[in-house]
C-alpha cells in the first residue's frame, strides 16, 4: 500500500502456484503505464476464502486462481464485478461458468493418474489405460491417491470418478479399496514419498497427480520417466476476474486482458504446468511428448460441485475409510 | 542518574505487550470467530465427532509433551550441569528441529516410521525437546548445589535428591516449558496432516480444512472457540500448579554449578547423548537427501527452482529469513521482556494467572484463524497493514513473544525479592534495580530466549506462508513451495534449503553462545 | 533524627511488629535486642520502607510514607547478607557508590581493609566463607555513607575476637561519621560496645529503651529481666541506699521501699560466708564455672575456674552487685 | 569413631583445608574453633563427602572414599540453613525420616518442641525469622538420628538466653543418644558447654586439639592464644608450682623453667596493690568494664562495673589466674 495517488498500480491477488515471466509484465507496464503488483497466498481454496472474507475491502483489484471447484462459491458471495474481456472470445469462452461475465478462464489443468513406466515394466505389467484397470487385481496395492477432504488433486480425482461413473462412483471406490488403494492426506506425501516415479522413489508406481507432472520428470535420455493416463483426467479451469469494490477497476480490466494475451498465455505451460485457455497458442516442444492435452477430460458444472462437495466427501469417507 | 519516577512503575510496561496482543491477536481472532458464529456453529458443538477430535487433540499433545519432557530433562541436565568439551555444539544442535518446516519433518518421519499415532507423537516431541532442554536448563544452571547437598546429607540418594529437591525447584521452568510444548503440539498442523491423514484429525487440522477447503467458516469458528477454551483451561491449571511451586532460590553463576559428571550422573549424560543422537537421525536423513543426487540442489539455491517455481532465489529467501527473523526477534524481546517485568512486579496481584495465560494464547490459536482474522480487521489500521511487508515480523513476534516470556520468567521469579530490596536500600530505584539485579541474573536466559526466538522466527511457517509476499518469501516458505512441485530439481533444492536453514540455525546459536560469554560475564 | 510511632506490621494473622514508638537522635546508635522471632528484622525492614506498615516513620520530622526505599538514604544489612551473586566482592561494595554516580576504588579498598578483606576485590562472593560474606555485606552498606544504618546481626557469623574488633571499629566509624544507626544484635557485649541506647523487644513490642547500663540494672519487667539474663527472682527492700534480700545486702542507689529483685548467675558467688546450699549442677565455661545450687530453691551461681566447688559440695553464697537487677518501671 | 587423616581441600590455588588429622571417639563432641575463613565449613563438607578432597576419612576404620554422601549417615547443618523453600517446616524436618522410609509426625513435633517451635509445622520456611530458620535446620539434621552430626554454627542467629538453653539441650541430647558430633562455633562458652574436646584451626590447619580447659590454659602457639583471647604476651618463669612474671605471681601446676605467658584481659584487674599504670581506654560491657591501661606498655584489663576506674585514673593491677595462659606445645 505504498503507492502514491494517481499511481497506476494494480494489485493482482492470486495463489501460491502463480508464476509468471517478469518480462511479459514489464512490457505491459511499458505499454500501458500500469504496474502490476502480485500478492500470493495459500492454495485455490484459501484464495477463494480470502476473497470472500475481504470482499468489502478487497486486498487488490484483480484476482486470478479461483478454480472450477470454488468458482460458484465466489460468484454466490459476490466477490467479482462484471468485466467482459475482448479476448474472451479467443477460447476462454469455452470454459465459462455462467453468463454474468464476472469470471474469465485463463488456463486449464488436468488432474490425472500418473504412472511410473519403468516400475510397471519391471513388474511385468502393462501401463493401465483407464479407471477400470485401477480396480483390476493385477494392479493390487499399486495406487496411491490423496484424501479429497484435505487435498485439491484428491478432490479433483474424486470429482472425475463421479463424472465418469455418475451414481456408480461409490461402488467403484469400494473396488479400489478392495484393490488396496492407499490414501494419504496430501499431494506431497503421495507424489514425493509414496510414488516411485519421483525423486523420492517410494514403493507405489501409480499416483494421482497432474497431467503436466511428467514434463518435470525427464530422465537422462531426455524422455519422461512417467506418463499421465489421459482417460483418468478431471479438468480444472482457473479463472480471473475484477474484484468488486476494487480501487482501480479500469486498470484491473486491463490486467485481465494481459492474462489472456498471447504473450502471457504462451508462458503458462512452462511457468505453471497448465494449458492456456486461449486457442492457437503454441505449446513447448517437450509438452507434446511429456504432457499431451487430454482429449476428453471429465468435467462437472461448478454449481453441481458446490452443491454436492460435502456430501460426496462424506460418502467417500464412508466407502473408503469407514 | 537513572532514577525511576515514583509514579512510573515497571508494572506499566505490561501495557505494551497487552496493547500489541489486543491489536494483533484478540481483535482479529475475535472478529473472525464472531463472523462465523451462527446457528450452524452449534451443530458442530453438538456433534460427538467434534469431541472425539478434542479428545484426540489433547491426548496426543499431552503424550508428546510427556515424551518431550522425559527426553528433554537429561539434555537440560547436560546443558546446565555438565562441563565437558563440545557443549556449545550440543546446545546449538538441539535447536535445529525447531526451524525445520513441518512438511519436511513430516515427510522424514513418514519415511522413517510410516504414519499413525506413534509417529505423530514422536514427531511432535522431536520438535520440542529443545524447548524443555533450554527452558529448564536455563534455571537449572543457576541453582545452588548446596540445597542438594543438604538433601544428600539427610540420606537422600542422587535420585531422591533430584525428585525431592531439584525437581520442585525446577517446576516453574518445567511448567513453563510443558505449557509451551503442549501448545505447540495441540496446534501442530503439518505433522498431524502428513502422518495422520484423514484418520487422525486434530482441532487444528479440522479448523484448517474447514476454513480453506470446505469454506465452512461457522464450523471453523465453533472449533476455534473450542480450541481456545481447551487451551485456556489447560494453561490455567498449569499456571496454578506452577505458582504453588514458585519460591525464591539462591541463584549462582553457571560456571560454579557445571562440572565433570560423577558416578550415576554419567547415566544421565549417556541418556542425554542418546536423545541427541535420536534427534540427529531425522536431521541426518534430510541432509542425506539433500546430497542424494550430488550437489545439484545446492547449486540450484542460486536459482528459482525448476522452471521458475519461485519468485526468489534460495539465497534471497535466506536473506529474507534473516531479515524478518531479526525484526521479529527484536520486537518480541521488547514485548516479552516488558511482559516479564510486569508479571514479576505484579506477582502478588490476583489477576496474575489470567494475565500470564493471556500472554500465552497466541501459541494456542491456529495460524489460519489469526491469518484470516488479519484480513478482515487490519484494513482498519492506517496504511492497510494486510498487504504490508511489516506484517510478517509482526505475526512472527506474536509467536516468539510468549516463548521469550516463558524462558525468562522462571529465572526472574526465582530471584529472591530481598536481593532487589538490598539494591533499593543502596539507592537503586525500581528501574535501576531492574538493570542491576534482574537483568544480569536473567541475562543468560534472556540471551537464550533471543537465540531461541530468532530460531523460531526463522522456522515460522504457518503465519509466514499466509502473509509473506512473493518477493519476501522466507526459507521455510520456499521449502514448502518446492516440495509441493514435481521435479527432481525442486526436491533437491528443497532439501538443500533445509540444510541451509539448519546451518544458519547452528551458526546463530553458536554466535549467541559467544555473545553471552562476552557481554554478560559468566553468570 | 529518626522517629517511629505507632508502627505495626502484620503478616496475615501474625502481628510481627505491634505499635512501636521509637526515636534515635542524630549520630546516636541504638541496639535492638530481643528473643528470636520477636520482630526485630521486621521492624528494621519497615523503617527501611520494605514492609507495608501502619503508623509513621519520620526523618527530621518529615513523614517518609511517600518516600520510596531508594530515596530514603537508609542502609540495611540483611541478616543473611543478600550479596549480589553476579558481582564480585568489589562490585558488591561499590554498588551503592555507583547508584550515586560515583566510582571510588579507594573507598572500596578502604572498607575492605576495615572488614579485614583487603585484596578480596575480585573474589566471587559465592566462594566466600560465611563470615567473609557477612563482612562484605557490612562493607557494602557502609560504603555510600547512609544517613541511617540499619544493621541486622551484622557480626553474628564472626568469631569472638574478630567480632570484638569489628564492633569497636564500627563504633568508631559510626561516631566519626556521625551516622545514626540501629543495630540488631543478640550479643549483649556488642550492644554495650556499639550502642548509646538499647531497646528491648518482645513479641512485637518494645518493652524498654534506655541507657545500656540502666536497662541492665533496671529492666522494666520480669520478661525483660529474664531476657537480659536474670534467672532468679525474689523480693527485696531498699533502705538508706542498701538493698537487702534473702541472699544478703549490697549498696544500691534507689528510693527506699519494697522492690522486686532479679539475679543473674553472676549475682551469686561462693564465699567463705553467706547463704548455705548444695551444688547440684556444674558447667565449665571458658573463664568461669556455672553452678546450680540448691539453697532452699535452685539458683544459678558462678565460681572462678581455679577454686570451683564440685557437684555435691556444700557452699555458702554471697551477693555480688554486678549481677543484681531491680525490676520495675 | 571418625578418623580423618591428611585431609586437604583445594579450590584452584586456594588451599582451604590443609593436611588435617583429626579423630572423634564414639559419643564424643568436638568443637571446631577458628577465625573466619580458616576452613571450618570446608572441613565439615569434606567429612560429609560433599567436597572432593585428598586424604582419607574413615568411620570405625573403614575408608569412606567410595561411600556416597547419603549412605554415610552423617547429618550436616549448613551455616546458612539451606532449608528447602518448597516445603513447609514439618516437610523440612521430616525430610531425613522420609528418606529412611519412615513417617513420624511425633518425632517432628518432638524436635520442633525441642527447638522452641512447637506448632510451627505448617509454616512456610520463607516466612520464618532468621533464628527460627536456624532452629528448623537444627531440628531437620537431628531428626533422622545421624551417627555423626556436623554442625556449622548451629546457634549463631540466636539470642544469648536461647543459645545457652539450646546448647544445653543439645549437649544432653547428643550425650543421651551417644551421637558423635563436630560443632563449628565461634562462641567460646558454647564450645565449653557442648564439647568434650576442642580443635583450633587456623589457615586450613588444625593447630591444636585437646580438653577445652587444657586448650584454654595451654594454647600451643601465640596465634592460637591470640585467637583464644590473649592480648598481652610476656615471658615468665615457673618454680615450685608458682608462675612469676612482670605483673605478679600465681600458683600454677607446671614443670619448673622459663615459659611464654599470654594474658587475656581478665588476667589483669585493678587492686589495692600491684603494678602501677594509667587508664587510657574504657569500654562498658554488660557485666564488666574493659580497660586499656598503660603500664609500661598498653595492656588490657577488666574491672567490676561498680568500682571501675575512669580514663586518666592511676591504677594498680594484679594478676588473676583465670585469664592466664601458658603458651607452648
Ligand atoms: N568455592 C570456593 N572457591 C574458592 N575459595 C573458596 C571456596 N569456598 C571457600 N573458599 C575459601 O576457602 C576458605 C575457607 O572457607 P570456609 O568456608 O571453609 O571458612 P570458614 O572457616 O567456614 O569461615 P567462616 O567462619 O567465615 O564461615 C576461605 O578463605 C574461602 O574464601
Ligand atoms: N513473611 C512472613 N509471613 C508470616 N510471618 C512472618 C513473615 N516474616 C516474619 N514472620 C514472623 O514474624 C515474626 C517476626 O519475625 P522477624 O524476622 O522480625 O523476627 P526477628 O526478631 O528478626 O527474629 P530473629 O532474631 O530470629 O531473626 C516471626 O514470628 C516470624 O515467624
Ligand atoms: C508440534 C510442533 N510442530 C512444529 C513446531 C515448530 N515450530 C517452531 S515455532 C512454531 C510456532 C509457530 O509456527 C512451531 C510450530 C513445534 N515446535 N512443535
Ligand atoms: Mg531477624
Ligand atoms: Mg563457615
Amino acid at each position: 500500500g505504498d503507492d502514491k495517488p494517481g499511481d497506476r498500480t494494480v494489485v493482482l491477488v492470486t495463489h501460491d502456484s502463480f508464476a509468471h515471466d517478469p518480462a511479459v509484465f514489464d512490457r505491459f507496464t511499458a505499454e500501458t503505464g500500469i504496474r502490476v503488483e502480485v500478492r500470493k497466498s495459500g492454495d485455490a481454496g484459501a484464495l477463494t476464502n480470502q476473497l470472500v472474507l475481504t470482499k468489502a475491502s478487497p486486498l487488490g483489484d484483480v484476482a486470478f486462481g479461483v478454480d472450477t471447484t470454488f468458482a460458484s462459491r465466489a460468484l454466490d458471495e459476490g466477490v467479482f464485478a462484471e468485466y467482459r474481456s475482448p479476448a474472451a472470445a479467443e477460447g476462454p469462452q469455452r470454459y465459462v461458468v455462467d453468463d454474468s461475465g464476472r469470471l474469465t478462464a485463463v488456463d486449464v489443468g488436468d488432474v490425472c493418474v500418473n504412472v511410473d513406466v519403468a516400475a510397471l515394466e519391471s513388474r511385468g505389467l502393462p501401463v493401465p489405460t483407464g479407471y477400470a484397470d485401477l480396480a483390476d487385481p493385477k494392479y493390487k496395492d499399486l495406487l496411491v491417491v490423496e484424501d479429497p477432504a484435505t487435498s485439491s488433486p484428491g478432490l479433483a480425482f474424486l470429482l472425475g470418478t463421479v463424472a465418469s461413473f455418475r451414481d456408480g462412483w461409490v461402488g467403484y471406490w469400494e473396488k479400489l479399496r478392495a484393490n488396496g488403494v492407499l490414501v494419504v492426506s496430501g499431494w506431497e506425501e503421495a507424489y514425493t514419498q509414496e510414488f516411485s516415479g519421483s525423486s523420492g522413489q517410494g514403493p507405489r508406481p501409480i499416483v494421482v497427480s497432474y497431467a503436466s507432472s511428467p514434463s518435470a520428470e525427464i530422465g537422462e535420455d531426455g524422455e519422461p520417466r512417467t506418463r499421465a493416463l489421459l482417460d483418468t483426467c478431471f479438468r480444472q479451469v482457473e479463472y480471473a476476474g475484477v474484484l468488486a469494490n476494487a480501487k482501480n477497476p479500469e486498470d484491473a480490466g486491463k490486467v485481465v486482458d494481459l492474462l489472456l494475451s498471447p504473450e502471457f498465455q504462451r508462458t503458462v505451460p512452462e511457468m505453471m504446468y497448465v494449458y492456456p485457455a486461449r486457442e492457437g497458442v503454441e505449446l513447448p516442444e517437450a509438452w507434446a511428448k511429456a504432457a499431451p492435452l487430454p482429449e476428453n477430460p471429465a468435467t462437472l458444472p461448478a454449481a453441481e460441485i458446490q452443491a454436492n462437495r460435502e456430501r460426496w466427501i462424506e460418502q467417500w469417507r464412508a466407502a473408503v475409510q469407514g | 542518574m537513572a532514577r525511576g519516577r515514583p509514579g512510573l512503575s515497571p508494572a506499566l510496561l505490561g501495557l505494551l505487550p497487552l496493547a500489541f496482543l489486543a491489536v494483533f491477536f484478540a481483535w482479529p481472532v475475535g472478529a473472525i470467530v464472531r463472523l462465523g458464529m451462527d446457528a450452524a456453529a452449534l451443530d458442530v458443538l453438538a456433534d460427538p465427532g467434534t469431541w472425539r477430535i478434542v479428545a484426540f487433540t489433547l491426548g496426543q499433545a499431552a503424550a508428546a509433551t510427556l515424551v518431550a519432557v522425559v527426553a528433554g530433562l537429561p539434555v537440560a541436565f547436560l546443558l546446565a550441569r555438565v562441563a565437558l568439551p563440545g557443549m556449545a555444539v550440543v546446545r546449538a544442535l538441539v535447536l535445529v528441529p525447531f526451524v525445520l518446516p513441518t512438511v519436511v519433518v513430516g515427510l522424514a518421519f513418514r519415511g522413517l516410521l510410516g504414519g499413525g499415532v506413534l509417529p505423530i507423537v514422536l514427531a511432535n516431541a522431536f520438535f520440542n525437546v529443545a524447548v524443555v532442554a533450554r527452558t529448564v536448563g536455563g534455571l537449572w544452571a543457576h541453582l545452588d548445589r548446596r540445597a542438594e547437598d543438604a538433601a544428600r546429607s539427610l540420606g537422600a540418594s542422587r535420585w531422591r535428591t533430584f525428585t525431592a529437591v531439584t525437581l520442585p525447584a525446577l517446576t516453574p521452568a518445567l511448567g513453563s516449558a510443558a505449557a509451551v510444548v503442549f501448545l505447540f503440539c495441540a496446534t501442530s498442523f503439518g505433522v498431524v496432516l502428513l502422518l495422520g491423514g484423514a484418520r487422525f484429525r486434530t482441532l487444528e487440522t479440522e479448523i484448517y480444512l474447514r476454513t480453506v477447503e470446505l469454506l465452512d467458516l461457522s464450523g471453523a469458528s465453533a472449533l476455534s472457540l473450542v480450541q481456545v477454551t481447551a487451551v485456556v483451561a489447560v494453561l490455567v491449571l498449569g499456571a496454578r500448579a506452577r505458582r504453588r511451586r514458585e519460591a525464591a532460590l539462591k541463584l549462582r553463576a553457571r560456571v560454579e554449578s557445571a562440572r565433570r559428571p560423577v558416578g550415576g550422573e554419567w547415566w544421565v549424560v549417556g541418556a542425554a547423548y542418546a536423545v541427541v543422537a535420536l534427534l540427529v537421525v531425522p536431521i541426518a536423513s534430510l541432509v542425506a537427501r539433500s546430497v542424494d543426487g550430488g550437489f545439484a540442489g545446492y547449486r540450484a539455491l542460486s536459482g528459482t527452482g525448476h522452471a521458475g517455481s519461485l519468485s526468489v532465489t534460495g539465497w534471497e529467501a535466506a536473506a529474507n529469513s534473516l531479515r524478518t527473523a531479526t525484526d521479529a526477534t527484536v520486537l518480541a524481546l521488547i514485548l516479552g521482556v516488558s511482559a516479564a517485568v510486569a508479571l514479576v512486579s505484579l506477582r502478588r496481584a490476583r489477576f496474575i494467572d489470567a494475565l500470564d495465560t493471556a500472554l500465552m494464547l497466541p501459541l494456542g490459536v491456529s495460524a489460519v484463524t489469526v491469518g484470516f482474522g488479519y484480513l478482515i480487521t487490519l484494513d482498519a489500521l492506517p496504511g492497510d497493514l494486510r498487504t504490508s511487508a511489516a506484517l510478517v515480523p509482526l505475526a512472527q513476534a506474536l509467536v516468539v513473544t510468549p516463548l521469550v516470556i516463558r524462558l525468562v520468567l522462571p529465572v526472574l521469579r526465582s530471584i529472591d525479592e530481598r536481593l532487589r530490596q538490598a539494591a533499593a536500600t543502596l539507592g537503586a530505584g525500581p528501574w535501576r534495580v531492574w538493570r542491576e539485579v534482574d537483568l544480569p541474573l536473567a541475562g543468560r536466559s534472556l540471551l537464550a530466549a533471543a537465540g531461541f526466538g530468532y530460531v523460531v522466527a526463522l522456522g515460522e511457517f504457518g503465519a509466514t506462508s499466509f502473509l509473506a509476499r512473493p518477493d519476501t518469501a522466507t526459507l521455510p516458505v520456499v521449502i514448502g513451495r518446492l516440495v509441493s512441485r514435481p521435479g527432481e530439481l525442486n526436491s533437491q533444492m528443497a532439501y538443500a534449503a533445509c540444510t541451509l536453514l539448519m546451518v544458519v540455525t547452528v551458526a546463530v546459536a553458536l554466535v549467541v553462545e559467544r555473545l553471552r560469554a562476552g557481554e554478560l560475564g559468566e553468570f | 533524627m529518626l522517629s517511629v510511632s505507632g508502627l505495626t506490621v502484620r503478616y496475615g494473622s501474625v502481628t510481627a511488629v505491634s505499635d512501636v514508638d521509637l526515636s534515635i537522635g542524630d549520630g546516636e546508635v541504638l541496639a535492638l535486642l530481643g528473643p528470636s522471632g520477636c520482630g526485630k528484622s521486621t521492624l528494621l525492614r519497615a523503617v527501611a520502607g520494605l514492609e507495608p506498615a501502619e503508623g509513621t516513620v519520620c526523618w527530621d520530622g518529615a513523614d517518609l510514607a511517600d518516600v520510596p526505599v531508594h530515596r530514603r538514604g537508609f542502609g540495611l544489612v540483611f541478616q543473611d547478607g543478600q550479596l549480589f551473586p553476579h558481582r564480585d566482592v568489589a562490585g558488591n561494595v561499590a554498588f551503592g557508590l555507583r547508584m550515586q554516580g560515583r566510582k571510588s576504588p579507594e573507598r572500596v579498598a578502604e572498607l575492605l581493609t576495615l572488614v579485614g578483606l583487603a585484596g578480596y576485590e575480585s573474589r566471587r562472593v559465592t566462594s566466600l566463607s560465611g563470615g567473609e560474606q557477612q563482612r562484605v555485606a557490612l562493607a557494602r552498606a557502609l560504603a555510600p555513607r547512609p544517613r541511617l544504618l540499619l544493621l541486622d546481626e551484622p557480626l553474628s557469623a564472626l568469631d569472638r575476637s574478630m567480632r570484638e574488633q569489628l564492633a569497636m571499629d564500627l563504633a568508631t566509624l559510626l561516631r566519626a561519621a556521625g551516622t545514626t544507626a540501629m543495630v540488631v544484635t543478640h550479643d549483649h557485649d556488642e550492644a554495650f560496645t556499639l550502642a548509646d541506647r538499647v531497646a528491648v523487644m518482645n513479641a512485637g513490642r518494645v518493652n524498654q529503651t534506655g541507657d545500656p547500663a540502666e536497662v541492665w540494672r533496671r529492666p522494666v519487667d520480669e520478661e525483660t529481666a529474664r531476657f537480659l539474663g536474670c534467672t532468679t527472682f525474689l523480693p527485696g527492700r531498699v533502705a538508706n541506699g542498701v538493698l537487702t534480700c534473702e541472699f544478703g545486702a549490697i549498696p544500691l542507689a534507689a528510693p527506699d521501699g519494697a522492690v522486686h529483685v532479679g539475679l543473674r548467675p553472676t549475682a551469686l558467688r561462693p564465699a567463705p560466708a553467706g547463704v548455705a546450699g548444695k551444688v547440684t549442677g556444674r558447667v565449665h565455661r571458658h573463664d568461669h564455672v556455672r553452678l546450680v545450687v540448691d539453697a532452699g530453691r535452685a539458683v544459678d551461681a558462678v565460681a572462678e575456674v581455679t577454686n570451683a566447688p564440685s557437684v555435691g559440695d556444700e557452699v555458702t553464697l554471697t551477693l555480688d552487685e554486678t549481677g543484681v537487677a531491680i525490676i520495675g518501671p
Side-chain angles (χ1 to χ4, degrees), chain C residues 11 14 16 34-43 79 152-153:
Chain C
Y11 297 116
V14 181
S36 169
C38 72
K40 306 180 292 294
S41 301
T42 308
L43 176 58
Q79 194 165 359
D152 201 349
E153 309 196 5

Side-chain angles (χ1 to χ4, degrees), chain A residues 1-2 11 16-19 37-43 45-46 48-50 53-54 57-59 70 73 147-152 182-185 187-189 191-194 199-201 209 213 215-217 225 247 270-271 273 306 309-310 313 316-317 321, chain B residues 32 35 103 107-108 110-111 192-199 201 206 208-217 289 292 306-311 372 375-376 379 383-384 386-388 465-471 480-481 483-488 490-492 495:
Chain A
D2 47 38
V11 178
D16 283 342
S17 310
F18 178 79
E37 194 183 304
V38 180
R39 189 185 180 285
K40 309 195 234 188
S41 101
D43 60 8
T48 311
N49 223 351
Q50 288 188 27
L53 283 173
T54 60
S57 167
L59 295 165
F70 296 104
R73 165 87 195 241
D147 188 331
T150 57
S151 152
S152 356
L182 172 67
V183 180
V184 298
S185 54
W187 180 88
E188 289 87 347
E189 304 99 281
Y191 194 82
T192 67
Q193 210 69 29
E194 299 294 341
S199 57
Q201 287 160 13
S209 186
S213 301
S215 69
E217 307 291 352
R225 288 177 302 224
K247 283 198 211 84
E270 287 278 298
M271 303 302 302
Y273 307 99
Q306 172 71 11
R309 183 175 43 217
E310 278 182 58
I313 291 176
W316 177 90
R317 268 195 185 144
Q321 298 186 314
Chain B
I32 196 89
L35 196 69
V103 199
L107 289 175
R110 238 197 126 77
V192 175
L193 208 54
L194 248 70
L195 299 175
R199 220 147 63 81
R201 292 181 294 158
E206 204 60 16
Y208 175 83
L209 292 175
R210 277 182 197 261
T211 314
V212 169
E213 300 293 335
L214 304 180
L215 307 183
D216 170 16
L217 258 189
R289 276 193 88 155
D292 214 8
H306 177 75
S309 298
L310 309 169
S311 312
F372 276 94
L375 292 182
I376 62 167
D379 58 322
D384 200 351
R386 296 179 304 172
T387 52
S388 154
S465 68
F466 195 89
L467 301 170
R469 301 193 310 197
D471 56 327
R481 200 144 299 165
V483 296
S484 64
R485 295 283 180 285
E488 191 160 12
N490 281 346
S491 158
Q492 288 165 339
Y495 288 103

Side-chain angles (χ1 to χ4, degrees), chain B residues 3 417-434 436-437, chain C residues 48-50 68-76 78 82 84 95-96 99 140 144:
Chain B
R3 288 207 151 170
E417 183 58 16
R418 286 173 308 158
L419 214 49
R420 299 190 183 96
Q421 296 176 343
T425 62
L426 290 164
W431 297 100
R432 197 69 195 267
V433 167
W434 232 88
E436 301 286 349
V437 178
Chain C
L50 293 169
V69 184
H70 66 287
R71 294 274 177 68
R72 295 195 178 187
F74 294 179
L76 172 59
F78 286 79
Q82 292 293 342
F84 302 125
F95 190 92
M99 294 305 110
R140 181 177 72 175

Side-chain angles (χ1 to χ4, degrees), chain B residues 1 3-6 146 250-253 255-256 348 416-430 432-433 435-438 440-441 522-523, chain C residues 45 48 50-51 66 68-71 73-76 78 80-87 92 95-101 124-127 133 140-141 144:
Chain B
M1 243 196 301
R3 288 207 151 170
R5 273 169 286 137
R146 285 178 311 152
K250 270 217 163 77
L251 300 183
R252 308 199 117 198
V255 281
E256 292 173 82
R348 296 216 181 104
D416 194 329
E417 183 58 16
R418 286 173 308 158
L419 214 49
R420 299 190 183 96
Q421 296 176 343
T425 62
L426 290 164
R432 197 69 195 267
V433 167
R435 223 182 74 203
E436 301 286 349
V437 178
D438 295 77
L441 286 175
E522 264 308 305
F523 190 79
Chain C
R45 293 172 50 80
L50 293 169
E51 211 68 61
D66 294 329
V69 184
H70 66 287
R71 294 274 177 68
F74 294 179
L76 172 59
F78 286 79
D80 56 354
Q82 292 293 342
L83 297 179
F84 302 125
H86 54 293
R87 298 186 184 281
N92 269 275
F95 190 92
L97 298 171
R98 280 209 303 123
M99 294 305 110
Q100 301 176 344
R124 283 184 165 284
V125 293
T126 41
S127 79
Q133 291 188 20
R140 181 177 72 175

Side-chain angles (χ1 to χ4, degrees), chain C residues 151-173:
Chain C
L151 305 168
D152 201 349
E153 309 196 5
L155 309 174
S156 65
L158 301 178
D159 57 279
R160 179 173 289 228
S161 61
M162 168 151 283
R163 200 160 73 228
E164 283 187 359
Q165 183 59 47
L166 259 178
M168 225 101 90
D169 291 349
L170 194 60
T172 316
L173 197 114

